[in-house]
Amino acid sequence: MKITLNGNVVEFEGGLTVAELLKKEDVDMPDMVSVELNGEILDRDSFGDQLVKDGDTVEFLYFMGGGC
Amino acid sequence: MMDFSNEQLQRYSRHIILQDVGVEGQEKLLKSSVLIIGTGGLGTPAAQFLAAAGVGKVGLVDADKVELSNLQRQVLHHTTDVGKLKVESAKEKINSMNPDVEVKTYPYYLTSQNIKEVIREYDFVIDGTDNFPAKFLINDACVIEGKPLSHAGIIKFGGQVTTIVPGGDTPCYRCMFPQPPKPGSVPSCKEAGVIGVMGGVVGTIQATEAIKYILDKGELLTGKLLTYDALKMEFRKINLKKRDNCGICSDDPEIKELIDYEQGACEL
Ligand SMILES: [Zn+2]
């Protein structure tokens, strides 16, 4: 399947949950990101169940606390 | 209509000549007020440009004193200012740059107890803080008070910025991030480092949003998260939607009172 991840088209074999996608993309601290799927921010509790499908648009939003 | 002195006509001539500003726009700026929370990497460039632009009242909040390690990015503070309160150092520079600007300083931290009365005095708020408890507190207070806010964060070679105008369909910071990260799970720029110019780029974008809001011109970064990757020299705008179950900006918010989250040990 092909999805648009953070603005880039990427291809994966078969389906994935959001949690699996975070893992595949080496996001080792999922606590650091919010995930937007097709424009909607997902509840963190749903990462394990929510499937990402062909054609979906996914954005990882990273916590950025600096300003100093 | 305000009477502009000859000096003011010269000082603001590049604004006045703009069709979208003119004398009316400059008058709006001179009568406006912006609160800048955090007088550091984001706050100093924002303060500098807003003061130069003739924003009539600039509020500066910061309890910290200037340190040598600040000077690589906080360009309003000079070597001779080390040890001085940041808000005093910034006020001195602004006073000498533009006498039209009234600078009000708040040399303490904002908390759930004092933030509302401070932000009420201003037309627009700029979040230039460096920690999550402050960012969530500012977001929540601005939503409750209906105060427009520019939120931003920077770290390493990255930055992000969004504008929140509460009351309509603009998503807030909590729509994006429902809860602060666990203390210590996300590095601060003290730990991770930051390229000095990041504050300059992102802080001046925050100042630009304040000016556009005051002038009522153009499109704000509402409902958009602008991300900046300096290594790739790439800007992206991510569309954001309001979350129906947002803890603070939904119709029936779960959060009724402001929260003072605990600072992660590594952020202190
Ligand atoms: Zn919200």
Side-chain angles (χ1 to χ4, degrees), chain B residues 139 143 170-176 242-243 246-250:
Chain B
N139 176 72
V143 169
T170 318
C172 77
Y173 184 50
R174 226 181 247 283
C175 289
M176 271 187 278
K242 203 163 159 149
R243 222 161 27 84
C246 174
I248 192 77
C249 80
S250 57

Side-chain angles (χ1 to χ4, degrees), chain B residues 90-151:
Chain B
K91 182 182 175 172
E92 285 169 17
K93 313 302 185 319
I94 292 173
N95 283 345
S96 98
M97 183 211 299
N98 189 349
D100 288 344
V101 182
E102 179 205 340
V103 181
K104 196 164 171 187
T105 57
Y106 304 85
Y108 47 80
Y109 293 109
L110 296 183
T111 68
S112 61
Q113 299 307 306
N114 61 16
I115 187 168
K116 286 191 197 171
E117 57 189 293
V118 175
I119 65 175
R120 261 178 217 148
E121 272 188 62
Y122 295 86
D123 301 324
F124 193 94
V125 176
I126 288 182
D127 177 356
T129 61
D130 61 359
N131 64 85
F132 295 107
K135 288 185 187 302
F136 277 85
L137 178 70
I138 294 165
N139 176 72
D140 294 354
C142 285
V143 169
I144 290 171
E145 291 294 316
K147 206 51 87 180
L149 163 70
S150 169
H151 163 91

Side-chain angles (χ1 to χ4, degrees), chain A residues 13-49:
Chain A
E13 298 276 326
L16 285 174
T17 65
V18 169
E20 287 164 345
L21 179 63
L22 284 163
K23 209 161 182 189
K24 268 214 149 71
E25 289 298 305
D26 281 332
V27 180
D28 54 0
M29 289 196 282
D31 275 354
M32 282 178 60
V33 292
S34 267
V35 178
E36 196 189 65
L37 176 63
N38 300 324
E40 307 279 349
I41 300 281
L42 299 175
D43 280 333
R44 193 166 293 283
D45 318 341
S46 72
F47 287 4
D49 307 321

Side-chain angles (χ1 to χ4, degrees), chain A residues 31 34 36 40 59 65 68, chain B residues 73 176 182 189 236 239:
Chain A
D31 275 354
S34 267
E36 196 189 65
E40 307 279 349
E59 293 283 353
C68 34
Chain B
R73 62 198 180 284
M176 271 187 278
K182 286 192 210 102
C189 38
R236 291 188 60 227
N239 288 317

